[in-house]
Amino acid sequence: MSNHPAWRDFRICREGYLWTPRGLRYEPEYINKIDVLQRTNRYHEGQAVILNAEIEHLRDLVGSRDKLREMGRDILAISDWFKYKDALLKFEQMEKEKSA
């Protein structure tokens, strides 16, 4: 083992396992895979960021959909009001023609 202070209390047993000061045991194969595990973890963290951004975009779309739905209802109400006004004007014109 190294004489570096950071490695104090670490040891390697006869079976080839690395023991930590907290009593955790690591096999050499696991230690060789740490870089792969770290890269995999970074990849998944990146994917999580991308998916979170997509979720936020979808939330914005849902909000826009709701606003458009409300605007559509308002447009229908305005259209109905204009239809009513048009029918009222036609009725008034018909009454004028009858009385003339």
Side-chain angles (χ1 to χ4, degrees):
M1 289 295 296
S2 172
N3 288 329
H4 192 277
W7 288 100
R8 187 177 16 136
D9 299 330
F10 282 84
R11 66 184 181 85
I12 296 177
C13 69
R14 288 184 183 160
E15 290 83 24
Y17 298 119
L18 172 67
W19 289 87
T20 69
R22 294 182 299 163
L24 299 174
R25 180 184 85 173
Y26 293 96
E27 298 174 359
E29 295 82 17
Y30 179 81
I31 293 171
N32 280 331
K33 294 177 185 175
I34 288 176
D35 64 321
V36 173
L37 294 172
Q38 287 175 332
R39 281 184 275 149
T40 302
N41 189 45
R42 281 192 294 272
Y43 170 78
H44 289 296
E45 287 173 348
Q47 290 298 323
V49 168
I50 290 168
L51 291 173
N52 281 331
E54 190 172 331
I55 288 169
E56 285 303 314
H57 178 68
L58 291 172
R59 284 186 180 137
D60 291 343
L61 288 175
V62 168
S64 297
R65 180 201 64 191
D66 293 341
K67 287 179 186 177
L68 287 172
R69 184 181 295 143
E70 185 178 329
M71 290 170 61
R73 283 191 291 259
D74 291 345
I75 289 170
L76 287 173
I78 291 169
S79 173
D80 290 345
W81 185 81
F82 279 121
K83 286 178 186 175
Y84 169 76
K85 288 295 266 181
D86 187 47
L88 189 61
L89 288 173
K90 285 181 182 176
F91 177 75
E92 289 174 356
Q93 188 174 2
M94 285 175 37
E95 288 296 314
K96 284 182 186 177
E97 289 174 0
K98 281 184 184 178
S99 61

